[in-house]
Amino acid sequence: GQQVMQIPQYQHVQEGEDFTTYCNSSTTLSNIQWYKQRPGGHPVFLIQLVKSGEVKKQKRLTFQFGEAKKNSSLHITATQTTDVGTYFCAGCDYNSGNTPLVFGKGTRLSVIA
Amino acid sequence: DVKVTQSSRYLVKRTGEKVFLECVQDMDHENMFWYRQDPGLGLRLIYFSYDVKMKEKGDIPEGYSVSREKKERFSLILESASTNQTSMYLCASSVAGGPYEQYFGPGTRLTVT
């Protein structure tokens, strides 16, 4: 079945450093979504990308969807302590039928002040 | 604002007990999902439902069942709880079609002793 791999599993950065997490799918995706889960909280939707090569920005966060629609990345510029949490990507392939999202295992970000 | 509520934040049950986890959403969403979250394993889909009375198995349905008698309510049932079902359980909902963003509840941390 469809698999979504996410790396790295953990990332520790100094406040002010940049951070990137990568998401790779075994199959072509119809879309990719990104979620953030703060410690002790639940996943919260950040954004969805649907077009090949699409790039979207939310303040210091930049999201990219690969040209082949099999990979995606989330880049955070100049991390802050408020960025701490686990970032999940999730995608699905419409061609596989009415399938739900498949989540990556997440990247846990720690920011050292 | 979409609100997804879960019946308990923390639950402790004994091995062999029947456990009910309730999830209610107030935004008239057609789709509802149950996930379990374990360290290092990310979000794993247990069951989902695209309509009342309808259910589909996710990636790890063994040992679980679900019920959706009303559109706003999706229940997860552990027929005979086992210690390996100790986990965080997250419910989510979304509108039909898409896939669209999923709205998660606060989670239930279940401990089976």
Side-chain angles (χ1 to χ4, degrees), chain A residues 3-86:
Chain A
Q3 291 186 349
V4 175
M5 314 298 254
Q6 199 172 345
I7 56 170
Q9 189 174 0
Y10 302 97
Q11 185 80 58
H12 307 277
V13 299
Q14 291 279 346
E15 190 173 22
E17 291 182 340
D18 292 357
F19 158 78
T20 305
T21 173
Y22 300 91
C23 187
N24 293 288
S25 170
S26 56
T27 61
T28 301
L29 298 170
S30 302
N31 73 321
I32 194 87
Q33 296 182 1
W34 285 92
Y35 291 77
K36 177 183 178 181
Q37 183 177 23
R38 294 181 186 274
H42 57 273
V44 175
F45 175 82
L46 294 176
I47 207 161
Q48 175 165 269
L49 306 171
V50 297
K51 297 177 184 176
S52 170
E54 189 170 12
V55 178
K56 287 189 177 180
K57 292 190 175 184
Q58 289 180 349
K59 297 183 180 178
R60 294 176 296 102
L61 277 61
T62 302
F63 304 85
Q64 293 189 348
F65 200 9
E67 294 289 342
K69 300 185 77 174
K70 295 183 74 172
N71 57 73
S72 180
S73 64
L74 158 59
H75 180 82
I76 302 178
T77 304
T79 55
Q80 301 175 357
T81 54
T82 53
D83 296 324
V84 165
T86 301

Side-chain angles (χ1 to χ4, degrees), chain A residues 9-10 31 33 35 37 40-45 48 86 88 92 94 98-106, chain B residues 9 33 35 37 39-43 45 48 50 59 88 90 97-107:
Chain A
Q9 189 174 0
Y10 302 97
N31 73 321
Q33 296 182 1
Y35 291 77
Q37 183 177 23
H42 57 273
V44 175
F45 175 82
Q48 175 165 269
T86 301
F88 293 97
C92 78
Y94 296 154
N98 197 14
T99 56
L101 287 172
V102 175
F103 280 81
K105 292 183 178 180
Chain B
R9 286 304 304 272
F33 309 86
Y35 296 90
Q37 184 174 26
L41 297 180
L43 295 165
L45 182 63
F48 60 101
Y50 287 154
D59 299 318
M88 171 67 80
L90 289 160
Y100 296 102
E101 63 182 280
Q102 293 189 13
Y103 295 84
F104 284 82

Side-chain angles (χ1 to χ4, degrees), chain B residues 13-110:
Chain B
K13 295 292 181 181
R14 293 193 180 275
T15 301
E17 279 192 86
K18 190 169 186 176
V19 182
F20 292 87
L21 302 182
E22 303 284 335
C23 175
V24 178
Q25 50 92 7
D26 67 357
M27 282 301 291
D28 202 35
H29 283 173
E30 290 78 11
N31 302 340
M32 296 190 75
F33 309 86
W34 273 106
Y35 296 90
R36 65 177 283 178
Q37 184 174 26
D38 301 286
L41 297 180
L43 295 165
R44 293 183 292 167
L45 182 63
I46 305 171
Y47 268 96
F48 60 101
S49 170
Y50 287 154
D51 203 351
V52 176
K53 305 280 188 182
M54 180 259 178
K55 60 184 179 183
E56 294 277 354
K57 292 180 180 179
D59 299 318
I60 53 164
E62 296 78 19
Y64 304 94
S65 62
V66 290
S67 173
R68 193 162 181 204
E69 296 296 318
K70 292 185 177 181
K71 189 176 185 180
E72 67 271 17
R73 188 180 297 269
F74 193 33
S75 302
L76 180 68
I77 304 153
L78 287 67
E79 294 290 341
S80 178
S82 63
T83 55
N84 62 14
Q85 292 179 309
T86 292
S87 185
M88 171 67 80
Y89 289 88
L90 289 160
C91 174
S93 72
S94 73
V95 299
Y100 296 102
E101 63 182 280
Q102 293 189 13
Y103 295 84
F104 284 82
T108 295
R109 184 164 295 281
L110 172 66

